Amino acid sequence: MFQSLSDRLSGIFDGITGRGALSKDDVNKALREVRRALIEADVSLEVVRGFVEQVRDRAIGAEVTKSITPGQQVVKIVNDELVAVLGTDSVPLDFKSTPPVAIMMVGLQGAGKTTATGKIAKRLKEKQNKKVLLASLDTRRPAAMEQLKILGDQIGVDTLEIIAGQSPLEIAKRAQKTAKLGGYDVLFLDTAGRTHIDEELMAETAEIKAATNPHEILLVADALTGQDAVNLARSFDERVAITGIMLTRIDGDGRGGAALSMRAVTGKPIKFLGTGEKLEDLEDFHPSRVADRILGMGDIVSLVEKAAETVNAEDAAKMAQKMKKGVFDLDDLKNQLLQMKKMGGMGSLMGMMPGMGKMKKQLAGANVDEKVFDRQVAIIQSMTKKERATPNLLNASRRKRVAAGSGTSVQEINKLIKMHRQMADMMKKMSKGKGGIAGALGGMFGGGGSMPNIDPSQMDPQMLAEMEKQMGGQMPDLGGLTAPSTTKALPTNVNDLLKGSAPRFPGLPGLGPKLGGKK
């Protein structure tokens, strides 16, 4: 979602990070471009004004002129202010209340409230072992209640019995009573929406809130909403006092302004991001990580977390044993390809790797088909057990047979064998940590099989250099999926350049008091 904004800002900062000194005019010119980039990304004008004013106050002051790397210091300041806009700290759901904790989902029709309810309920059941009850209060949209029941069945969560003819308020009261008697930990109230904000919607939502007194009220908003996101957030906050925001369709081609605007104008935290259509496509919102992604610095912590979630501990241990013996066959390659696909494919991984934003853009421009992973897996599965264990057996006639069996060509077989040889050489040099992608990431942090206990702000390029060193200075040719990076990446250690908290923005509820009386 932030790709367009990220590309614009990266281009602006590429022009100043290599300079030894910056003048006031240099800073003003860069900030004009930043202002234009934010407006084009659908960020609210009042947020843009506050953001640029705050950055200018710091960038033209002694904070930059006394820095030995003024260009990088400006990037650091912009990073700080982006984090301030997005909320500084991650804010999870609050369950400090007498069960059942009621969570009311509000928003416009089509924003994805029902699916969002299912996603959060699935996470609470599986990761926090909560007993959850789902209740649909949407009596207007056809089959809305049936949709929630189907989602509940899919994730193994109870749903409130559907009784025709009841009003939303009656359903809400019945849901509360059922949740109490059933010993549920969490009750989700999925309210009805409208195609636009109107008095009837707001009155119904306020009435349900008054009757049920929910502990959390989540505004579910489409990330593609654009400038109208500000009006949407303000309207719901004024009438029902929302406690948090969930943005859906983050995987779309929106310009990111909704995320920057909604938090700033309401002061309420963004708690979740919906990253896809599947029920597992849900992320916690971490302001500092999102700011790093916007500035092209990657999100290595989320990448490690994703690897930890997708890598089976037993499989990783087996891979580590094989690597110690210098063994890496085609079955291992197949597992690595499937693992990479689980983690979102090449584009998703590159978006989280520091300095890889430009390469991701090059891949997008080259129209690379990531279904190549599926074809490569099909090729391996078309081989015999002996051929997968000993790739040297694959002579010309065998390759023709495999090509025919997998519906591919001999040229694709040859590319796969070449990729396997390169990865086998690389894996032999990775003798520490977990196998595969997780091993590579673990090596960056000194090895280990779990999420590293480090401060993301302490990361520097030496970690990436160490990873490259472990790999022998080479990266495998993933069947035409990689491309050389020709531009200098933004530094990943900008958070080390300045310690201390950044001043807040003037005049916005989510960003503290006005600074120095400025307007």
Side-chain angles (χ1 to χ4, degrees):
M1 180 187 73
F2 295 107
Q3 190 61 49
S4 176
L5 178 59
S6 177
D7 291 344
R8 286 293 306 274
L9 293 179
S10 295
I12 295 167
F13 295 136
D14 281 347
I16 63 174
T17 50
R19 300 188 189 181
L22 290 178
S23 66
K24 182 177 179 180
D25 288 340
D26 291 334
V27 173
N28 284 327
K29 183 178 179 181
L31 288 181
R32 278 196 298 271
E33 293 300 316
V34 169
R35 177 189 176 95
R36 185 176 291 117
L38 291 172
I39 291 175
E40 289 178 0
D42 276 339
V43 181
S44 169
L45 184 59
E46 61 186 304
V47 178
V48 174
R49 285 173 176 164
F51 180 89
V52 173
E53 179 182 348
Q54 196 76 0
V55 172
R56 180 181 286 111
D57 286 345
R58 295 179 60 189
I60 296 179
E63 190 173 325
V64 167
T65 57
K66 291 183 179 180
S67 171
I68 58 173
T69 55
Q72 291 183 2
Q73 192 69 13
V74 171
V75 178
K76 160 63 181 170
I77 291 170
V78 173
N79 179 273
D80 283 346
E81 303 305 339
L82 273 177
V83 173
V85 171
L86 293 169
T88 307
D89 297 316
S90 177
V91 182
L93 287 175
D94 181 14
F95 295 105
K96 296 176 181 177
S97 180
T98 304
V101 177
I103 300 176
M104 191 164 84
M105 310 291 283
V106 301
L108 295 182
Q109 196 174 74
K113 289 191 301 299
T114 302
T115 304
T117 301
K119 287 181 177 181
I120 300 173
K122 182 177 188 291
R123 171 171 291 198
L124 295 181
K125 174 181 177 287
E126 295 178 353
K127 295 192 175 182
Q128 298 187 34
N129 199 29
K130 299 284 187 184
K131 186 178 180 183
V132 181
L133 177 66
L134 306 180
S136 175
L137 313 186
D138 192 348
T139 59
R140 293 173 172 271
R141 183 167 62 90
M145 294 182 176
E146 287 77 5
Q147 180 190 358
L148 189 65
K149 185 179 187 310
I150 291 171
L151 288 176
D153 292 340
Q154 288 177 356
I155 61 178
V157 169
D158 295 336
T159 55
L160 186 70
E161 181 185 358
I162 299 173
I163 299 178
Q166 285 193 323
S167 69
L169 188 59
E170 289 171 336
I171 298 171
K173 291 178 178 178
R174 179 164 60 91
Q176 263 197 328
K177 184 176 180 180
T178 302
K180 286 179 181 178
L181 294 175
Y184 289 91
D185 299 312
V186 183
L187 167 64
F188 279 92
L189 300 172
D190 180 21
T191 65
R194 305 288 188 280
T195 55
H196 61 280
I197 298 171
D198 60 20
E199 180 56 32
E200 185 183 9
L201 166 65
M202 291 302 177
E204 180 181 292
T205 306
E207 189 179 22
I208 293 170
K209 179 195 173 183
T212 59
N213 191 28
H215 191 62
E216 288 266 13
I217 302 177
L218 287 185
L219 170 62
V220 181
D222 191 330
L224 309 183
T225 303
Q227 289 279 354
D228 199 43
V230 172
N231 296 330
L232 173 68
R234 276 193 172 131
S235 297
F236 274 99
D237 192 38
E238 287 170 0
R239 291 299 293 268
V240 296
I242 61 175
T243 60
I245 299 167
M246 174 175 173
L247 291 177
T248 60
R249 293 212 279 181
I250 291 295
D251 55 325
D253 58 358
R255 290 172 286 187
L260 295 175
S261 302
M262 295 176 83
R263 164 54 176 75
V265 300
T266 64
K268 304 301 169 63
I270 300 172
K271 298 196 175 188
F272 296 106
L273 299 177
T275 58
E277 295 181 1
K278 297 179 181 178
L279 288 172
E280 58 268 21
D281 293 337
L282 180 71
E283 285 185 11
D284 293 321
F285 185 80
H286 297 276
S288 60
R289 299 187 196 179
V290 173
D292 284 348
R293 288 191 206 181
I294 292 174
L295 294 182
M297 294 179 230
D299 183 0
I300 199 69
V301 181
S302 292
L303 181 56
V304 175
E305 287 179 346
K306 186 173 282 192
E309 289 177 0
T310 57
V311 177
N312 180 281
E314 185 177 344
D315 291 342
K318 289 179 182 177
M319 173 61 92
Q321 289 298 320
K322 294 185 76 172
M323 284 171 57
K324 287 179 181 177
K325 298 176 183 177
V327 177
F328 183 77
D329 59 27
L330 285 166
D331 275 325
D332 298 323
L333 174 58
K334 181 187 74 172
N335 292 335
Q336 299 306 299
L337 293 171
L338 292 173
Q339 180 180 318
M340 189 178 295
K341 187 179 177 183
K342 269 188 188 177
M343 293 174 64
M346 183 62 68
S348 176
L349 296 181
M350 284 191 171
M352 294 184 184
M353 288 292 286
M356 300 292 274
K358 297 293 192 304
M359 188 179 289
K360 180 181 177 183
K361 189 177 179 182
Q362 289 172 2
L363 286 178
N367 294 320
V368 175
D369 181 11
E370 292 209 12
K371 289 184 179 178
V372 68
F373 290 138
D374 296 329
R375 292 197 293 273
Q376 289 170 337
V377 170
I379 290 171
I380 296 173
Q381 289 176 332
S382 297
M383 299 176 186
T384 66
K385 190 174 182 179
K386 280 188 178 181
E387 288 168 346
R388 293 198 295 268
T390 313
N392 290 335
L393 292 175
L394 289 165
N395 55 26
S397 62
R398 287 175 182 258
R399 294 188 188 199
K400 286 182 181 178
R401 190 204 79 242
V402 172
S406 60
T408 57
S409 64
V410 173
Q411 287 79 5
E412 287 181 274
I413 310 295
N414 295 338
K415 283 183 180 180
L416 180 69
I417 300 303
K418 179 183 176 184
M419 182 175 82
H420 169 261
R421 281 200 301 266
Q422 291 177 327
M423 290 191 74
D425 292 339
M426 180 180 75
M427 292 297 181
K428 286 177 185 177
K429 296 169 184 176
M430 292 170 57
S431 59
K432 296 180 181 180
K434 277 187 178 181
I437 295 171
L441 295 171
M444 292 172 62
F445 301 102
S450 60
M451 179 65 197
N453 184 22
I454 60 168
D455 179 358
S457 67
Q458 300 301 317
M459 289 179 55
D460 60 53
Q462 292 180 357
M463 292 181 178
L464 296 176
E466 182 62 27
M467 177 183 177
E468 186 176 5
K469 182 179 178 183
Q470 289 181 6
M471 294 180 178
Q474 67 176 4
M475 290 295 288
D477 177 10
L478 299 179
L481 279 174
T482 58
S485 181
T486 56
T487 54
K488 185 175 180 182
L490 288 174
T492 59
N493 65 337
V494 289
N495 287 327
D496 291 336
L497 294 174
L498 180 68
K499 299 296 182 183
S501 58
R504 290 297 192 178
F505 282 51
L508 291 172
L511 299 169
K514 295 185 178 181
L515 182 66
K518 292 184 179 181
K519 297 182 179 179

